[in-house]
């Protein structure tokens, strides 16, 4: 499969045609919570219909289904090669996955800290909590693995097939949090995932303006189970958010490959910076973490086949001093100092400011869709300014 080929722009723009109601070209914002009830006993009607939530002939109440989320789920199902369901945010989707699988134990190591807290919350509601184990511990029947890859915040990848084989050998299930590598970068079902999770807040939304979570499963039966649980957990996507999601999905194939290519350029460029290099001052960048740079692991695995559509657009650098890491995000002019990732604007963050367990000198970069030469110039001048320790007047970027 050649890079970028798998993600079809035609699918992104038209996969929901069959569930679109009305004559609008651009999907209408639909905020109604409730929908007119047809007179099923009118002449010509044979009686109550059966309600198929994946293919609703009509909507009833927006906690069940609603126009724009149904359409967005159609597009997400097509591009993820499965049956996709949307949630109010990534953590709501994670929680729903645990409720669905009822793990005896949950194997998780590192990654997005919120998922660890979500597991704690899940366990608070249970008489017998599901112990948390490491993904490299031995597995038993009933275990569920939560494998985040590429991993927050380093952007380094893990071998999905290895963990799939290991958990399937005991009859357990594998959830892959593929938030850092949406289509066309990575397709976790190809490597043995049972459920694919995304924080749609990141690349699917892509514009830093809505929260969304996505679970993708392999069968309609499993999708229907998830849908029914979601209806009563109440963790549906808001109507306006679903509309923003659908709007954003139309350009996923334009945004993500661009972000991916720029990130690879910047990671390679920064990794040459152990000594002074292309204007990067010496002794500022200690290390660059990115899937493109990680090489082979102890088992001989390397991530290029798994990241078939390109490297993930979010990665991390470790600076030589904590002061440099703290100030770099405030010395950039295009990279915005902010948490989160996946949007069109490049973001930069001293990670320990939101995750106290993180390496104190680590800075995470989420590469947006700006011109890569401008992003490189911005990082160069910021690294120079941080190294000089200057206080820069806050001015709007001059392009
Ligand atoms: C953001 C994120 C989440 C949580 O998603 P929300 O939409 O913020 O609830 C989970 N996993 C990863 C890898 C993330 O980046």
């Amino acid at each position: 499969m050649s890079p970028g080929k798998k993600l079809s722009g035609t699918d992104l723009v038209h996969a929901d045609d069959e569930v679109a109601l009305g004559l609008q070209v651009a999907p209408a914002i639909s905020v109604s919570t409730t929908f007119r009830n047809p007179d099923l006993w009118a002449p010509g009607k044979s009686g109550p219909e059966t309600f198929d939530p994946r293919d609703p002939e009509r909507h009833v109440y927006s906690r069940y289904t609603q126009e724009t989320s149904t359409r967005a789920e159609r597009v997400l199902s097509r591009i993820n090669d499965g049956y996709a369901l949307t949630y109010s945010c990534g953590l709501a989707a994670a929680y729903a996955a645990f409720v669905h699988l009822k793990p005896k134990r949950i194997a998780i190591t590192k990654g997005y800290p919120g998922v660890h807290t979500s597991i704690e919350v899940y366990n608070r509601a249970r008489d017998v909590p599901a112990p948390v184990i490491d993904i490299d511990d031995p597995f038993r029947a009933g275990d569920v693995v939560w494998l985040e890859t590429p991993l927050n915040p380093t952007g380094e990848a893990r071998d999905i097939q290895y963990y799939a084989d290991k958990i399937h050998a005991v009859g357990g299930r594998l959830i892959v949090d593929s938030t850092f590598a949406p289509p066309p970068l990575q397709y976790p079902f190809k490597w043995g995932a049972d459920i694919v999770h995304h924080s749609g807040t990141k690349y699917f939304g892509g514009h830093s303006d809505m929260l969304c979570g996505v679970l993708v499963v392999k069968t309609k039966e499993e999708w229907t189970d998830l849908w029914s649980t979601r209806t009563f957990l109440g963790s549906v996507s808001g109507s306006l958010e679903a509309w923003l999601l659908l709007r954003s999905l139309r350009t996923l194939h334009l945004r993500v490959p661009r972000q991916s290519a720029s990130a690879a350029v910047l990671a390679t460029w920064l990794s040459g910076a152990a000594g002074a290099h292309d204007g990067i001052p010496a002794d500022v960048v200690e290390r660059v973490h990115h899937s493109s740079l990680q090489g082979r692991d102890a088992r001989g695995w390397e991530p290029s086949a798994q990241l078939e559509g390109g490297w993930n657009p979010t990665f991390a650098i470790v600076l030589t001093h904590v002061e440099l890491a703290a100030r770099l995000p405030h010395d950039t002019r295009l990279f915005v100092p902010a948490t989160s990732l996946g949007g069109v604007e490049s973001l930069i963050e001293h990670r320990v400011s939101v995750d106290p367990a993180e390496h104190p000198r680590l800075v995470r970069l989420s590469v947006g869709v700006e011109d890569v030469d401008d992003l490189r110039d911005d990082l160069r001048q910021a690294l120079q300014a941080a190294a000089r320790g200057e206080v820069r007047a806050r001015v709007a970027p001059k392009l």
Side-chain angles (χ1 to χ4, degrees):
M1 205 170 289
S2 63
K5 246 199 133 192
K6 177 74 191 281
L7 184 58
S8 152
T10 308
D11 286 344
L12 288 167
V13 178
H14 290 289
D16 57 317
D17 282 357
E18 60 200 18
V19 282
L21 310 169
L23 296 176
Q24 299 90 352
V25 173
I29 296 175
S30 166
V31 293
S32 192
T33 53
T34 186
F35 299 83
R36 262 173 215 277
N37 209 343
D39 179 0
L40 297 170
W41 306 105
K45 292 271 186 185
S46 54
E49 348 137 73
T50 51
F51 181 64
D52 177 353
R54 216 180 152 257
D55 198 7
E57 274 171 44
R58 63 187 187 90
H59 300 287
V60 176
Y61 184 54
S62 65
R63 183 157 43 72
Y64 303 155
T65 66
Q66 168 290 339
E67 168 122 17
T68 43
S69 54
T70 296
R71 293 180 67 172
E73 284 165 5
R74 237 354 126 87
V75 175
L76 287 165
S77 296
R78 182 76 62 84
I79 67 167
N80 287 289
D81 299 322
Y83 294 83
L85 194 67
T86 52
Y87 290 88
S88 54
C89 67
L91 290 188
Y95 189 87
F98 297 129
V99 171
H100 175 66
L101 293 179
K102 302 176 206 59
K104 290 221 171 85
R105 302 188 303 173
I106 300 171
I108 181 169
T109 302
K110 294 191 176 165
Y112 190 80
V115 176
H116 294 258
T117 314
S118 195
I119 292 169
E120 268 173 51
V121 172
Y122 170 76
N123 274 334
R124 261 183 237 158
R126 291 166 47 101
D127 282 345
V128 185
V132 173
I133 61 167
D134 192 277
I135 56 171
D136 290 310
D137 287 344
F139 294 156
R140 299 200 294 254
D143 289 348
V144 166
V145 180
W146 181 277
L147 186 74
E148 182 179 313
T149 186
L151 194 64
N152 176 65
T154 61
E156 286 170 341
R158 290 156 155 182
D159 183 350
I160 299 173
Q161 186 76 61
Y162 171 79
Y163 291 100
D165 292 346
K166 187 179 160 198
I167 190 67
H168 291 155
V170 299
R173 311 284 300 273
L174 174 66
I175 308 169
V176 171
D177 182 345
S178 191
T179 299
F180 271 46
L185 306 183
Q186 173 173 277
Y187 294 91
F189 285 146
K190 288 173 78 168
W191 312 98
D194 298 300
I195 297 184
V196 180
H197 168 275
H198 283 272
S199 166
T201 309
K202 313 299 167 53
Y203 293 96
F204 292 151
H207 296 74
S208 307
D209 57 5
M210 38 74 84
L211 295 172
C212 167
V214 177
L215 292 180
V216 194
V217 289
K218 289 180 177 169
T219 64
K220 188 169 174 186
E221 291 64 43
E222 203 170 358
W223 183 92
T224 307
D225 271 3
L226 285 173
W227 170 79
S228 150
T229 306
R230 184 191 68 178
T231 299
F232 299 101
L233 284 173
S235 46
V236 286
S237 174
S239 303
L240 290 169
E241 280 77 2
W243 180 83
L244 285 167
L245 170 66
L246 184 57
R247 185 279 322 262
S248 297
L249 285 170
R250 307 302 196 200
T251 55
L252 187 71
H253 61 314
L254 305 176
R255 291 183 279 113
V256 170
R258 164 81 177 238
Q259 290 169 276
S260 161
S262 296
V265 166
L266 294 175
T268 305
W269 175 71
L270 286 162
S271 71
H277 158 76
D278 191 25
I280 304 176
D283 302 326
V284 172
V285 181
E286 179 179 288
R287 177 144 193 216
V288 182
H289 292 282
H290 189 222
S291 53
S292 69
L293 302 168
Q294 78 186 68
R296 289 188 186 278
D297 68 11
R299 291 188 301 272
W301 179 82
E302 59 82 26
S304 62
Q306 189 175 292
L307 286 164
E308 63 183 273
W311 308 109
N312 41 288
T314 294
F315 66 100
I317 56 180
V318 176
L319 302 183
T320 49
H321 297 285
V322 68
E323 296 77 16
L324 288 170
R327 64 171 304 144
L328 186 69
H330 302 282
D331 281 324
T332 50
R333 293 170 184 165
L334 296 176
F335 278 89
V336 180
T339 198
S340 199
L341 56 120
V344 293
E345 308 88 355
S346 293
L347 304 182
I348 183 167
E349 180 181 38
H350 186 205
R351 244 341 248 179
V352 77
S353 66
V354 293
D355 180 4
E358 198 42 75
H359 190 306
R361 289 185 277 120
L362 184 141
V363 171
R364 189 178 73 183
L365 300 165
S366 166
V367 178
V369 300
E370 302 92 336
D371 295 334
V372 68
D373 290 344
D374 294 332
L375 293 177
R376 183 175 23 209
D377 290 348
D378 187 33
L379 288 175
R380 184 192 293 108
Q381 70 74 28
L383 288 162
Q384 291 169 352
R388 285 195 304 268
E390 283 174 1
V391 178
R392 182 175 62 80
R394 297 261 180 282
V395 288
K398 289 193 187 62
L399 293 174

